Amino acid sequence: MKKRLGIIFSALILSVMTACGGAETEDSNAAENGSVNLIAATQLNSDSAFAAGFEKFKEVIESETDGDVTVEVHTDGDLGGNEDELVQNLESGSVDLVVASPGFMTQAVQDVDFFALPYLFESRDHWKKVVNGEVGETIFNRIEENTSFKMLGYWSAGVRNYYGFKPVEKPEDLKGVKVRVQNSPVVQDTWKAFGAQPANVAWNEMYQALQNKVIDAAENDFTNIYQASHYELANYISETEHDFTTRLFFTADRVYDQLNDEQKAAFDKAAEEATKAALEADDKLAEESLKAMEEQGVKVNEVDKQPFIDATEQIRQDAVKKLGMEDLYQKVQELK
């Protein structure tokens, strides 16, 4: 099953590349002298944790290879305004390094939707134990067996909370509320269980959607809410803490395979250092962003999470059974 891309755009992309002569050379990024230029891209801005991770990757690999491998870091959606576009661009060859939520991998490997389960983790430490252990390794292996992607590390995008024009304290407060959520079956079912109306809106269209009241609310971490200026419009944040987020840092096999052994060693080291830098930046930015928003009048309320946990228990059980991942779910529970 190796190399079977489950993303629906693959066949179209490959046919267009062939028709346009895009596949004339196997390693389009490799120069004749063995040097390689890589493109790293994120839809987030240059102050984001993802950008910090990419910059560390650039610093390490360029140092380790004496400049034989260089990296261009693109932020602010320059090469894709949302994760869906970035993954497509990675497949087509216009981007080499991306970070995306598990939901964008589910069409190829359903197992990654496991990380979208609400209230799967009870803390950041719990999350780290899971992704850095057997569970994380197992899911990475399944992705690589069923796609042409090479997994490089587990990143995060903070802890996701509800934010909108009004605060919430209990699941019933969400009845009929139109909430922008990620494109994941589990995530959609989660908000339906609260009585909300899930809505799909591209990240780079979110501010306008809030401004025009196309949606009533959304859910994200402190850093993204602050850096995207969403708090200017939706200035109530309720700490539902429904998702200690998992993000996938990955490249394509075509990128890694073009490297020689020394470059691969440098690439691996850079990926490890980039992961550490991104996680450290994520924690720091979350703290700074929350403080900045509170100073500007954003109202943050604590939430009794147990009713939300209870409301989503059946979702966790049904999803785990459907995915056939009861054993991994048990391992997650044992690590609490």
Side-chain angles (χ1 to χ4, degrees), residues 27 29-37 67-70 258-260 263:
D27 299 324
N29 291 331
E32 291 182 2
N33 61 4
S35 65
V36 178
N37 183 60
D68 282 345
V69 179
T70 56
Q258 71 179 309
L259 305 176
N260 61 39
Q263 291 170 340

Side-chain angles (χ1 to χ4, degrees), residues 49 121-132 154-160 221 243-246 275-276 278-284 286:
F121 306 110
E122 63 177 19
S123 67
R124 173 57 76 89
D125 286 341
H126 182 211
W127 175 85
K128 287 181 178 178
K129 290 178 183 178
V130 172
V131 299
N132 293 327
Y154 283 105
W155 291 15
S156 179
V159 184
R160 295 179 83 90
D221 68 294
D243 184 10
F244 285 84
T245 60
T246 302
T275 297
K276 292 179 183 178
L279 293 177
E280 289 174 0
D282 186 56
D283 288 337
K284 181 180 179 181

Side-chain angles (χ1 to χ4, degrees), residues 58-69:
K58 171 184 173 67
E59 173 191 326
V60 173
I61 200 168
E62 290 183 355
S63 175
E64 291 290 319
T65 64
D66 294 324
D68 282 345
V69 179

Side-chain angles (χ1 to χ4, degrees), residues 91-147:
E91 289 188 284
S92 69
S94 58
V95 168
D96 302 306
L97 294 161
V98 301
V99 181
S101 60
F104 291 97
M105 198 77 73
T106 54
Q107 294 182 40
V109 187
Q110 276 194 321
D111 293 3
V112 296
D113 217 23
F114 180 76
F115 286 131
L117 292 177
Y119 297 103
L120 179 64
F121 306 110
E122 63 177 19
S123 67
R124 173 57 76 89
D125 286 341
H126 182 211
W127 175 85
K128 287 181 178 178
K129 290 178 183 178
V130 172
V131 299
N132 293 327
E134 182 182 352
V135 175
E137 183 179 359
T138 297
I139 293 180
F140 262 11
N141 288 339
R142 293 180 184 179
I143 294 172
E144 291 184 341
E145 288 169 0
N146 289 279
T147 70

Side-chain angles (χ1 to χ4, degrees), residues 2-3 5 29 36-41 54 57 61 86-87 89-91 93 95-100 105 140 143-144 147-153 155 248-259 264 267-268 271:
K2 182 68 174 172
K3 313 300 183 195
L5 287 173
N29 291 331
V36 178
N37 183 60
L38 303 177
I39 307 296
F54 283 151
F57 185 94
I61 200 168
L86 290 171
V87 174
N89 290 339
L90 177 64
E91 289 188 284
V95 168
D96 302 306
L97 294 161
V98 301
V99 181
M105 198 77 73
F140 262 11
I143 294 172
E144 291 184 341
T147 70
S148 289
F149 297 141
K150 177 174 175 58
M151 311 312 296
L152 304 176
W155 291 15
L248 308 175
F249 173 37
F250 58 104
T251 186
D253 286 343
R254 62 168 176 81
V255 174
Y256 195 74
D257 291 345
Q258 71 179 309
L259 305 176
K264 285 179 180 177
F267 190 103
D268 294 342

